Amino acid sequence: MENFNLLYKGQEYLLFIAFIMMVAGLIKEHSLFAGAYAYIQKVFKSKRVIVALMSAFTGILPVSGRVTISAGMLDTLAPPKGSKGREKFGIIDYLSTHHYYVWSPLEKTILIPMAAFSVTYGAIVYSLLPLLIVSLGLVFTYIVFFVKEDDIELNTQKTHFKVSNVLRNVVPFLFAIILALKPVGGLDPWLVFGGLLFYYMVLTMTWDYKKLLGYVDFRLIAWVAIIIIMANFARDPTNAVKAYLEGSAFDISTVQGFVTISAIAFASAFAFGSSSRFAAITTILSLVYGVEYFVWFFALDYAGYLISPMHKCMAIGKMYFGTPWKRYFNALGSWILLLLGAGAVTLIV
């Protein structure tokens, strides 16, 4: 029975993805956000600024599954499937929704060490500032230097900004996000965006279920379902791994001990693909070996988490935008090197 539970645990996320895809499809096909985009472009004169603002907004949302919301929003700006520029949006989606773990006071990656070390939020963020700087720097660099204006598609021709259009077309989307916010409504995202989908169906008079299903990438749905199942089974023995790490007798003052425990930490975070698990591992190791190693272990475990095969966010962007694995590994490889470099510097200074 327990193994059976692991098969369906968390699968409601698939409904969430499907609803977001349908919502994004309706928004793009009917140009529902065109007026707002036209106004922003008139103010900032750059399509890349719109992408930067949107990725920044979706990246800081304290919503479960924000990578899916971000993907849906960015899809309204991305060129059609098959276009070369489209694959860059997978990287933007991933980078903009994952710096959150380094600074958000709502994330377990921040809350767990705060509680364990009995320190303030400001103290934790200050210690992680090197990791935050390189993370935000990478997002900015990618959008400015790797994304071109021609890679972004805005259907804003002959579109004028009207408050009534924004109230009718854009505000409901923002309201749905508010309802799903952890500190506000905290409602299940699949339920909230299911309701939003119904609203946009009424607004656009779209009742053809075949058309709606045409917006859904079922290969992505199937792949995410497999990843969720794999992750459920992989995370099941977490307590045993925690106990092993906590009772480890490795002497971190020696090169061999330092390398060994660092490798175990990275491998554990890589295997679990869970932010809460990597936060727990980081905190335990810091308590065992000293808080002076906190930033190093955080960077190490964070890196393992980012590229974990149990982490569904990469698969979502890869299949949503057709982003090749090579492009992901190039971007994430650079991020990991920056994180480890910043973490290593804190050991020296």
Side-chain angles (χ1 to χ4, degrees):
M1 178 62 70
E2 184 177 350
N3 286 343
F4 179 74
N5 290 339
L6 293 176
L7 290 176
Y8 69 81
K9 179 183 178 183
Q11 296 294 354
E12 66 276 4
Y13 192 81
L14 304 181
L15 276 177
F16 177 38
I17 296 176
F19 290 154
I20 282 289
M21 287 180 173
M22 293 178 189
V23 166
L26 291 175
I27 290 173
K28 191 165 188 175
E29 180 165 340
H30 295 275
S31 301
L32 298 180
F33 286 8
Y37 290 157
Y39 177 76
I40 296 174
Q41 189 176 13
K42 181 179 179 181
V43 172
F44 294 101
K45 311 296 184 184
S46 171
K47 291 186 286 186
R48 282 187 298 184
V49 171
I50 298 178
V51 171
L53 291 174
M54 185 175 294
S55 62
F57 171 69
T58 55
I60 64 173
L61 291 174
V63 178
S64 177
R66 63 183 169 272
V67 70
T68 303
I69 297 176
S70 176
M73 289 293 288
L74 290 174
D75 187 38
T76 64
L77 298 173
K81 290 183 178 181
S83 303
K84 188 174 181 180
R86 182 178 176 83
E87 64 188 33
K88 298 178 183 179
F89 283 77
I91 304 298
I92 296 172
D93 181 40
Y94 194 93
L95 295 178
S96 64
T97 54
H98 284 75
H99 59 74
Y100 197 81
Y101 300 105
V102 188
W103 63 268
S104 171
L106 300 175
E107 277 298 327
K108 293 174 183 175
T109 52
I110 300 297
L111 294 175
I112 290 176
M114 276 178 61
F117 305 150
S118 297
V119 296
T120 64
Y121 166 71
I124 289 291
V125 173
Y126 180 77
S127 64
L128 293 174
L129 196 57
L131 307 187
L132 179 58
I133 290 173
V134 299
S135 298
L136 294 180
L138 183 63
V139 175
F140 175 80
T141 299
Y142 191 86
I143 293 177
V144 171
F145 295 103
F146 290 90
V147 178
K148 301 176 182 178
E149 288 285 308
D150 292 340
D151 292 331
I152 305 166
E153 184 175 275
L154 292 181
N155 296 318
T156 61
Q157 295 85 355
K158 298 180 181 179
T159 301
H160 301 286
F161 174 77
K162 292 183 179 180
V163 174
S164 59
N165 286 343
V166 172
L167 292 176
R168 183 177 63 248
N169 301 341
V170 181
V171 170
F173 192 98
L174 300 177
F175 183 66
I177 291 175
I178 291 173
L179 289 179
L181 293 179
K182 293 177 182 178
V184 184
L187 299 178
D188 288 335
W190 71 267
L191 185 63
V192 172
F193 283 89
L196 181 67
L197 172 62
F198 181 74
Y199 171 79
Y200 282 128
M201 288 170 61
V202 174
L203 183 67
T204 60
M205 297 301 292
T206 303
W207 305 110
D208 185 351
Y209 73 92
K210 291 183 180 179
K211 186 175 186 63
L212 292 172
L213 292 177
Y215 296 130
V216 180
D217 186 335
F218 287 99
R219 288 192 311 137
L220 171 59
I221 297 292
W223 183 236
V224 172
I226 293 171
I227 292 177
I228 289 173
I229 293 172
M230 292 171 59
N232 287 340
F233 279 94
R235 294 167 188 169
D236 197 40
T238 306
N239 290 334
V241 176
K242 287 181 184 179
Y244 171 76
L245 289 171
E246 194 168 16
S248 174
F250 291 112
D251 184 0
I252 203 168
S253 63
T254 67
V255 174
Q256 182 180 359
F258 181 78
V259 171
T260 302
I261 199 63
S262 294
I264 291 174
F266 179 87
S268 298
F270 178 82
F272 293 144
S274 165
S275 59
S276 59
R277 265 73 173 189
F278 100 64
I281 293 170
T282 296
T283 303
I284 290 171
L285 289 173
S286 300
L287 291 173
V288 172
Y289 294 109
V291 292
E292 64 270 20
Y293 290 98
F294 169 65
V295 179
W296 166 252
F297 284 132
F298 192 105
L300 197 67
D301 296 334
Y302 189 29
Y305 163 71
L306 289 174
I307 60 173
S308 170
M310 304 302 171
H311 188 177
K312 58 185 176 290
C313 296
M314 194 188 303
I316 289 173
K318 195 271 181 195
M319 300 189 74
Y320 212 118
F321 297 105
T323 308
W325 291 119
K326 182 178 179 181
R327 187 180 286 273
Y328 266 114
F329 292 137
N330 287 341
L332 295 183
S334 300
W335 195 359
I336 287 171
L337 289 176
L338 289 170
L339 288 171
L340 295 183
V345 168
T346 64
L347 294 177
I348 299 172
V349 299

